[in-house]
Structures are given as C-alpha cells and as structure tokens.
Amino acid sequence: MLPGMPVSPAVSEIEQLALIGQPQPIRVPERLWRSWLDDPTVVARFEAKTYRRPGGRCTVWLGSVSSTGHGSFRAAGLPGPSRRGTVPAHLFAYQLEYGIIPRLGWSGADDAVLCHQCDFAGCVNPQHMRLGTNTVNRTEYLRRRNLASPLSDVRGPAGRTRAIAAAIRTGLTCGEDQNSIEQRIRCAEAAGLPLTLW
C-alpha cells in the first residue's frame, strides 16, 4: 500500500478507473496491470514512445494523445468495446516506477488521482507526479495557472502535447543532437504562449 492512501473495505479485486475519452470510467483489474507492467515486451513498447529530456526535465510522450493532452497507451488489445487495454500513459509510467496504486479513480473528491507537478499533461516522468485527490489537484491547478504556466497554452493541453511531441519527432528524424531538439521544444512551447499587451 502506498503512503497516504486510505484503506478500502474488502474488495474482491483491486480495480482502477481509467478515463480515456469515455463518458464513464473503465475498470482495470490489478491482474491486468500486473500482466502489462511485468511484460518486457509491453514495457519496451511503452519506452519506445517516450523521449527522456536531460537534467530531470519532463519525459515527453510521443504516442497518441487524449483530448486532455495526456498520453494514451494501448497496453493490450482486449475484446469488446470498452478499450480496457488503453490506459493513460502517465499512469502506466508511475506504476512502472512505484507499483500498482489501489483503487485509483475519478468517482469522487476523495479518490486518489495522479497530479502532475510540472503542469504538462504530456509528461510521463514519474518524478513529476504525486498522488493526491481531485480536490487538491483542482485547487493546485487554479493556483498555478498564470501566463508563464503550461496551463495557459493557447492551443490547450492536447495542442501543447502534440506540438512538443511533433518537434521532438522532427528532430529525431533529422538526426539532430539533444541541444537542437531542446531548441525545437522551446520554440514549440513559445508558440503557445498567450499574447500580452505589456
């Protein structure tokens, strides 16, 4: 059990709720998470869709992106229309580093959620996330939203994530070094800053 997490009543199987473009959360049993996180092939596919920036900066998701700007990772193809095999990339990264989070969900203000401390939805660096609640996450979001924050990007969170990922992919395709790719990232970030009159 992770520190600070409430102990829930007896549950037949630990589940998490995963919102990926669905009006209703999707329950992902712990056994599925364990099978994905322990499978070297799945982990290698995940790692191939990330770009690790130097100096402990954000690790950028290069794969598909949800409307909220968070990465979407297809850990497995499962039968049925539920898309249970597609999970948030930042959740996969966090659990790969720290272990499975019991009863993670979006059903209430007291449920555990992952909070991005860097305010970049496309980040999958586990060191940039912490467990919190919906209430805490929303309060911090509102407090940190200012003109210099990634939260103020005029393209919205999905546009920001896609622009930064495209800049990185272009740099990698051109065989550029890390410094040149960082310059591309800075340009992609600057393109989304709101215009000011002062």
Side-chain angles (χ1 to χ4, degrees):
M1 168 104 10
L2 296 172
M5 293 298 303
V7 178
S8 59
V11 178
S12 60
E13 184 170 26
I14 294 174
E15 295 180 330
Q16 293 177 358
L17 300 176
L19 285 178
I20 297 286
Q22 296 284 340
Q24 293 296 317
I26 298 166
R27 298 191 184 279
V28 180
E30 180 182 12
R31 65 182 167 72
L32 281 179
W33 276 112
R34 288 205 187 287
S35 70
W36 301 332
L37 295 168
D38 292 341
D39 186 332
T41 305
V42 174
V43 172
R45 278 193 309 104
F46 176 83
E47 292 292 335
K49 296 175 186 286
T50 65
Y51 178 76
R52 294 186 192 284
R53 297 174 68 192
R57 292 185 220 152
C58 292
T59 300
V60 181
W61 180 250
L62 302 176
S64 64
V65 176
S66 73
S67 62
T68 62
H70 294 90
S72 297
F73 177 57
R74 188 165 180 82
L78 299 176
S82 73
R83 296 178 57 206
R84 281 195 330 178
T86 302
V87 296
H90 65 291
L91 179 56
F92 190 93
Y94 188 89
Q95 293 184 122
L96 188 59
E97 181 78 13
Y98 299 115
I100 294 174
I101 306 164
R103 309 265 318 150
L104 184 76
W106 285 265
S107 62
D110 293 330
D111 284 347
V113 296
L114 273 183
C115 305
H116 277 91
Q117 299 301 287
C118 58
D119 293 327
F120 177 42
C123 177
V124 293
N125 183 340
Q127 281 76 43
H128 291 195
M129 300 173 228
R130 70 174 179 80
L131 287 175
T133 64
N134 270 322
T135 303
V136 167
N137 197 30
R138 190 73 185 152
T139 301
E140 289 178 352
Y141 167 87
L142 294 171
R143 185 176 47 224
R144 290 194 309 256
R145 189 176 168 117
N146 58 57
L147 289 177
S149 169
L151 300 170
S152 297
D153 196 297
V154 297
R155 298 165 294 195
R160 178 182 175 79
T161 299
R162 289 182 180 124
I164 291 171
I168 293 168
R169 284 193 297 269
T170 299
L172 292 172
T173 300
C174 294
E176 294 177 356
D177 65 7
Q178 211 166 43
N179 290 334
S180 298
I181 292 173
E182 283 300 315
Q183 180 59 37
R184 284 185 182 274
I185 293 169
R186 283 191 294 278
C187 289
E189 290 172 336
L193 292 177
L195 297 174
T196 61
L197 298 174
W198 54 89

